[in-house]
Amino acid sequence: MSDSATTTESKSWLSSVDFKTLGPAIALILLCVVGFLLNSAFLSEGNITNLLTRSAFIGIIAIGATFVITAGGIDLSVGSMAAVIAGVMIIVMNSAVEIMGTGVATVLLGCGVSVILGVGAGWANGFLTTKGKIEAFIVTLGTMGIFRSLVTYFADGGTLSLDYGIRETYRPVYYEAFFGLPVPVWVFIFVSIAGWVLLNRTAFGRYCTAIGSSESVARYSAIKVDRIKTWTYVIQGLCVAMATIIYVPRLGSASSTTGVLWELEAIAAVIIGGTVLKGGYGRIGGTILGALILTTIGNILNFTDMISNYLNGTMQGLIIIIAVWLQRADWGKKSKPKS
Amino acid sequence: MKLKTSLFVAVVTGAMALASTAIAQDQIKIGVSYPTPTHAWAAGMNWHAEQAEARLEALYPDVDLILVNSPDPGAQASAIEDLVSVHQIDALVVLPFESEPLTDPVLNVKKTGALITVVDRGLSLPGIEDIYVAGNNPELGRVSAQYMKTRLKEGDNIVVLRGIPTIIDNERFDAFMAEMEGSGVNILDHKHANWNRDDGFEVMQDFLSRFPDIDAVWAQDDDIAIGVVAALKQAGRDGDGMFVVGGAGMKETIKGIMDGETLVPVDVLYPPAMIATAMDVTVAAFKSNGPVSGRYILGATLITPENAASFYFPDSPF
């Protein structure tokens, strides 16, 4: 018994490697090799730190998106939501200066507002999708437009800027490091662990997967489908709020160009990571790698002048497709008879 | 044949009657059409247009300026049709979203006999506009390069952050490169930062990782420059004599220049107020006793601590 098992293993070791899981990791490693060959400064501590910190925004949002997509939904409003939350945070903090000063209390107030808005907006998306029985695509397309125009309106078409006093207090949240890692990276790690546990080790995570595979079967299995689905949007909103909290101190401003196309980047990160777009199978680890891959592509393109600036989009598109192909291809399985 | 002619005469007479009623109202109606302010520069333009409207209408009670903004070229074409059919405008001031799709709609306005003023982006056919008012994109690149040359010597290194890949960006960039040629200053690389703070920040971070020795940055735009400055401060490389040149004339940048900021010591003007210039000139076409048709190319003035105050509008959103 054990003999035959070892022979099978040694014969097709390639097939025993789980490429479905490793695909995104291999793509990321290949990218890093390319980056290093272009310029050894790619692997410098500063650049790696920049990369990780940048990935935190899309990464955190994409972890929320993993829940929504796993449960068979979609949220197109996240970029606009981040922009409007950032805008309102700035307005609230600026107007709180006179009463509360420029200290930590004001920053905490801003963060509180962010969380409330994120959860509220997520709940609205979820409620309209489940109780309103409107397609998630349409609901979130609608809220995408609403949020985007609200931030344009609040900013009078221009840019909302954070008070310089608060900026000094708030700045460390983006720029300071804690045990060698910038604060946004810590937040990213924390959200990743929480997301992984929630999706893989709780009933809620199993319900999300079940609903994504078949909503009606889930309903017959006495799963409270509407409630679980609404929760996925609330988690998404909370993730957007967290991302916004670490985004605002970076440049201390929000405008109508903030967060443009973040929704597509988040969805791309989720799909590159192996989560199935039509629901029923989700992977938090893959999503994190997906977010890292997307940021690394942009970084590498800034590291080389070999490719015409106009073809950046082409390179990004090709690498995304290759990353997904690496993970979907049946590596080494062709030699094996189909069972 | 006879019937056709008489119909034609009737129509013409009718049109003339309508025209005379328009004159009888004794109001000069001027439509002002421009893109919806969805980014800072356009918001500044919107603000300046509103200021000019209030000022000109107070100055000339018989002038009626109608401001309309549109979110895309198609909507702008419809808005222009409405200005003709509903308001029967005597003049049109238009900042076209895109040249190609708006050429025909503006040509149709021209056929009604209205005076046409085109702002910033030209139309695809020559000779439609009576008045053309524009900033000077090549000059912006050239003036920036001339300033760089006064501060840098042979062997110094600069990096360039460009805008969104467009004709405007190419004009600025090509003129900059042409002016820098032969100066001995190395242009290490150029990347698109899309006239955006976040992209400016990320591209500059990568340039800083990649190039240990940078003496100056041409950010081309004030929004990009804000991202660049944040990246310099983060990397702790803002104190080693490096300087950044943006462009456009954002109020925060101009305030910084007035305060003697050394990291962004100057700015090159590409004023959103050009719409106000265009409205002034168009009104002058009805009110002045001198000829006003022609081309008004605004200077890409170098804004320095000495002249900054005259370009500072603290109430504008830009």
Side-chain angles (χ1 to χ4, degrees), chain A residues 30-142:
Chain A
L30 285 177
L31 274 175
C32 290
V33 170
V34 171
F36 181 74
L37 291 177
L38 283 170
N39 189 331
S40 57
F42 176 81
L43 287 184
S44 67
E45 195 196 326
N47 193 52
I48 297 291
T49 315
N50 287 345
L51 260 178
L52 290 173
T53 317
R54 259 181 235 174
S55 309
F57 304 124
I58 293 300
I60 291 170
I61 293 174
I63 286 168
T66 312
F67 285 94
V68 173
I69 293 173
T70 302
I74 192 96
D75 191 341
L76 300 175
S77 70
V78 291
S80 308
M81 197 194 288
V84 77
I85 292 176
V88 175
M89 273 177 83
I90 290 173
I91 292 172
V92 168
M93 284 190 281
N94 283 351
S95 47
V97 171
E98 277 184 29
I99 317 159
M100 301 169 65
T102 57
V104 179
T106 312
V107 172
L108 287 177
L109 173 75
C111 298
V113 166
S114 171
V115 169
I116 292 167
L117 287 174
V119 167
W123 180 81
N125 277 339
F127 181 79
L128 289 169
T129 312
T130 53
K131 297 291 177 200
K133 305 234 179 299
I134 312 168
E135 293 288 337
F137 189 91
I138 298 303
V139 169
T140 57
L141 187 69

Side-chain angles (χ1 to χ4, degrees), chain A residues 167-244:
Chain A
R167 225 179 265 205
E168 282 310 307
T169 320
Y170 200 172
R171 203 181 130 82
V173 174
Y174 184 84
Y175 289 100
E176 286 296 307
F178 189 66
F179 288 114
L181 281 180
V183 179
V185 180
W186 283 111
V187 178
F188 187 19
I189 292 171
F190 168 76
V191 175
S192 304
I193 293 171
W196 188 86
V197 170
L198 196 56
L199 188 64
N200 297 303
R201 290 288 179 271
T202 65
F204 175 79
R206 284 193 298 279
Y207 292 160
C208 287
T209 311
I211 293 168
S213 321
S214 170
E215 210 175 303
S216 45
V217 171
R219 212 177 285 276
Y220 290 130
S221 319
I223 295 174
K224 293 195 167 60
V225 172
D226 285 357
R227 187 183 295 175
I228 300 288
K229 280 177 80 177
T230 305
W231 268 108
T232 62
Y233 289 95
V234 171
I235 291 170
Q236 172 74 87
L238 187 62
C239 287
V240 172
M242 302 276 255
T244 312

Side-chain angles (χ1 to χ4, degrees), chain B residues 106-117:
Chain B
V106 176
L107 191 59
N108 287 334
V109 183
K110 174 87 174 170
K111 284 177 187 159
T112 68
L115 180 89
I116 307 288
T117 302

Side-chain angles (χ1 to χ4, degrees), chain B residues 10 13 40 45 49 107 145 155 159 190 204 245 247:
Chain B
T13 335
M45 178 189 66
L107 191 59
V159 289
H190 55 91
M204 194 62 210
V245 178

